[in-house]
Amino acid sequence: MAKFKKVVKKKKAAVIESTAQEDEAVKKRSSSKNFRLLKGFKDILPTEKKYWNLVETKAANLAVGFDYGEIKLPVLEETALFSRSVGKDSDIVRKEMFTFTDQSNINVSLRPEATAQIARAYIEHGMLNLSQPVKLYYFGPMFRREKPQSGRLRQFYQFGFESLGSEGAVVDAQLIALANKFFSQIGLKDAVTIQVNSIGCTECRTEYKQELINYFKPKKKLLCDDCKKRLLKNPLRILDCKEAGCQSLLAEAPQLLDWIDEDCKEHFMKVLEHLDQLEIAYNLNPYLVRGLDYYTRTVFEIWPIDKTGSQVALGGGGRYDNLVELLGGRPTPAAGFSAGVERIIMLLKEKNIEIKQENIPEVFLAQIGAQAKAKAMKLLEKLQEEDIMVAESFAKDSLKSQLELANKRNVKFTLILGQKEVLDGTILLREMEGGVQEVIDLEKIIPELKKKLGRT
Ligand code: HAM
């Protein structure tokens, strides 16, 4: 008993010590002069907006085109939702979730992905009573406490498409077609490849897993530390390990496609036939297994064409026929796909894809003097009411610096309102390219400007 008390005391002391250390670290950070972003988190600045607009607009338009309804899901869920769906032995659940116990003693996590939530929402809102398949689209932040590096963030954005309620191979093919269309439409058609595989159903995988264990066991010494652990818990993941030692063993390893049953094989052949009919190029990749446990049958990923070693996928998905049932719903076959926005934007930049800047101001409104400033503020409202895109810098007083800004913003026209114009009831209209200036009656400036902008 005394010994037990000693151990408990020691443990308590260790917890107190580690909490004190954390408190100290937080205090140190908070008392430092400048706050900084947490590791793996990112601010998205206005200069990035055109890329975000492009990705979100194209994805949202495809959702409309392919008849997916948008769903907005919370960022916080019960931890068990993810451990049961994604798998308690997966990297995501083992080491990457931001998890805490809330004030009601519920164990919650920031969502690392949305497919589990989609299945939860499908069951919770009785969507099986709707016409099937139910097709849902989402866009939002996900959280994974990965080691931060290029393209690997702790908060990143995904958009995704999920189709629940049909086992047809045509659904898998359409999802791949949708992904293919998205990358074509943003100008990355030649910069990506589609990798496809089938991992069969739970039954055919059980035998295959044993076969894999039999193959790798005598070579265990050659596997990396992670794969040594995977050998018993999740041998399939050895197939997509990026370590050279593990990769060198793959050529001789038993192939999944030789082990999947006739039904799964037939399903996969149909998916490929549809892709051929749609003339979508793909790479049959026997080592593609995906890192989340819920997949069955078809799996696919979109890779940058020059993906090497540990470089990362832009998007991924597949079929998850057992997930809804696993979470307590009726058996509901389903498939989906999601893509990482930051990784897509990185590739857009790398490939110098030109993006049309939207919402560029057409006019700059400059003012000199207090009276003119007050009048200009009123005029700004009128211009905005007429949907004329206006830039201004009322905080500046010098005309020179205002004109410099107008040049920088690349506007076609600048309106200049000074003391004299206020008294005369006029305004100057300057055409920026030629530098020609006209005096216009202030009352007539809006129709005059609209004419010049070709908006009569
Ligand atoms: P996933 O492959 O884990 O699949 O993630 C999809 C995409 O999210 C990745 O291809 C990548 O672009 C992006 N991503 C993942 N982790 C990070 C990170 N740490 N930093 C930046 N981007 C990242 C899923 O999440 C599944 N829910 C996909 C799915 C939908 N399967 C069926 N339906």
Side-chain angles (χ1 to χ4, degrees):
M1 191 63 186
K3 207 173 168 190
F4 173 73
K5 275 189 180 160
K6 236 184 189 170
V7 172
V8 172
K9 227 178 174 177
K10 241 185 178 172
K11 272 194 177 162
K12 268 192 183 159
V15 170
I16 290 168
E17 197 177 307
S18 79
T19 317
Q21 275 169 2
E22 278 168 32
D23 285 351
E24 199 48 44
V26 170
K27 254 194 232 159
K28 240 187 194 167
R29 257 220 331 253
S30 311
S31 66
S32 76
K33 231 167 54 198
N34 299 321
F35 285 103
R36 293 192 163 273
L37 276 167
L38 292 171
K39 255 192 184 171
F41 289 76
K42 229 177 96 171
D43 294 323
I44 299 152
L45 302 177
T47 42
E48 294 275 293
K49 185 87 169 86
K50 61 177 181 181
Y51 296 102
W52 285 80
N53 272 352
L54 175 78
V55 172
E56 189 166 3
T57 311
K58 293 286 181 212
N61 286 347
L62 283 172
V64 174
F66 281 74
D67 199 20
Y68 281 72
E70 181 167 1
I71 183 166
K72 290 202 186 290
L73 299 157
V75 293
L76 206 61
E77 295 268 2
E78 261 186 77
T79 300
L81 171 67
F82 300 112
S83 43
R84 205 185 297 170
S85 316
V86 177
K88 61 180 179 11
D89 293 322
S90 64
D91 288 353
I92 293 179
V93 172
R94 268 195 317 119
K95 48 188 186 187
E96 294 170 2
M97 288 208 292
F98 287 92
T99 298
F100 60 96
T101 308
D102 78 356
Q103 290 83 341
S104 318
N105 229 6
I106 302 175
N107 193 271
V108 291
S109 291
L110 286 175
R111 62 175 181 186
E113 61 105 50
T115 309
Q117 296 187 289
I118 290 276
R120 190 233 350 107
Y122 178 89
I123 301 166
E124 194 162 350
H125 301 288
M127 293 192 207
L128 87 164
N129 298 316
L130 305 176
S131 151
Q132 307 289 306
V134 173
K135 291 154 82 179
L136 299 168
Y137 161 76
Y138 51 89
F139 187 105
M142 309 290 155
F143 304 83
R144 294 185 194 175
R145 207 172 184 287
E146 293 196 64
K147 200 168 161 218
Q149 50 187 286
S150 168
R152 228 174 256 287
L153 294 155
R154 289 182 170 177
Q155 176 179 339
F156 57 96
Y157 281 73
Q158 274 187 356
F159 64 84
F161 298 86
E162 312 284 349
S163 171
L164 300 101
S166 166
E167 63 177 346
V170 69
V171 171
D172 313 35
Q174 263 195 314
L175 279 163
I176 296 172
L178 200 163
N180 183 55
K181 196 162 251 168
F182 170 80
F183 284 97
S184 297
Q185 286 188 351
I186 60 166
L188 289 176
K189 185 178 172 40
D190 299 327
V192 301
T193 63
I194 298 172
Q195 309 287 318
V196 196
N197 193 18
S198 172
I199 57 169
C201 58
T202 320
E203 290 75 41
C204 33
R205 237 174 9 231
T206 310
E207 262 185 78
Y208 176 68
K209 273 186 192 166
Q210 194 48 54
E211 195 62 24
L212 266 190
I213 294 170
N214 295 345
Y215 171 77
F216 282 118
K217 228 176 186 170
K219 305 170 180 64
K220 192 172 170 183
K221 264 198 258 157
L222 302 169
L223 293 173
C224 72
D225 286 347
D226 272 345
C227 284
K228 279 189 186 117
K229 286 181 209 144
R230 286 173 182 146
L231 187 56
L232 286 179
K233 292 194 163 159
N234 201 353
L236 240 63
R237 287 307 309 278
I238 301 175
L239 296 181
D240 74 351
C241 177
K242 307 293 177 291
E243 294 295 323
C246 304
Q247 291 223 331
S248 68
L249 302 174
L250 296 185
E252 308 271 299
Q255 298 253 325
L256 227 166
L257 280 178
D258 296 333
W259 287 81
I260 66 176
D261 64 29
E262 282 312 308
D263 284 351
C264 292
K265 219 175 263 176
E266 197 185 320
H267 190 273
F268 191 45
M269 293 320 291
K270 278 194 193 147
V271 176
L272 300 184
E273 273 166 31
H274 286 306
L275 293 180
D276 291 338
Q277 276 155 10
L278 292 168
E279 296 182 31
I280 293 174
Y282 55 82
N283 181 32
L284 259 185
N285 182 342
Y287 303 123
L288 187 72
V289 290
R290 309 270 302 132
L292 303 96
D293 279 6
Y294 49 63
Y295 290 110
T296 49
R297 296 189 161 175
T298 317
V299 288
F300 61 96
E301 278 185 357
I302 315 295
W303 289 1
I305 215 148
D306 34 18
K307 181 177 188 282
T308 49
S310 64
Q311 256 184 311
V312 285
L314 301 161
R319 186 156 273 289
Y320 48 97
D321 288 342
N322 303 331
L323 183 58
V324 173
E325 193 179 2
L326 185 73
L327 296 178
R330 296 250 191 90
T332 308
F337 158 76
S338 70
V341 178
E342 290 83 353
R343 290 187 188 174
I344 294 170
I345 290 177
M346 266 173 65
L347 191 60
L348 284 169
K349 289 182 182 170
E350 204 180 294
K351 299 286 171 195
N352 289 319
I353 302 294
E354 209 174 300
I355 296 168
K356 227 177 66 210
Q357 186 97 37
E358 285 165 10
N359 304 338
I360 304 177
E362 304 160 285
V363 181
F364 191 93
L365 179 53
Q367 39 68 45
I368 324 151
Q371 269 182 310
K373 198 180 300 249
K375 256 213 148 102
M377 282 170 80
K378 277 217 130 141
L379 178 59
L380 176 69
E381 279 187 2
K382 282 193 192 151
L383 292 163
Q384 286 167 337
E385 275 164 24
E386 295 292 330
D387 284 334
I388 297 172
M389 305 273 294
V390 196
E392 47 76 24
S393 182
F394 292 163
K396 284 192 169 63
D397 292 324
S398 123
L399 180 62
K400 186 166 170 257
S401 52
Q402 290 182 70
L403 288 178
E404 273 169 12
L405 200 60
N407 264 327
K408 240 191 221 160
R409 301 300 302 269
N410 241 341
V411 293
K412 285 197 190 116
F413 301 101
T414 297
L415 296 172
I416 307 170
L417 200 57
Q419 208 77 338
K420 181 174 181 314
E421 287 74 28
V422 171
L423 291 176
D424 296 351
T426 58
I427 190 161
L428 294 180
L429 175 69
R430 182 187 176 96
E431 200 195 318
M432 296 304 279
E433 210 177 271
V436 182
Q437 268 181 202
E438 287 176 63
V439 182
I440 313 253
D441 186 343
L442 188 57
E443 296 293 313
K444 295 190 181 138
I445 187 62
I446 289 186
E448 200 55 40
L449 196 57
K450 277 185 160 174
K451 205 157 56 181
K452 299 240 181 226
L453 292 169
R455 295 217 225 136
T456 41

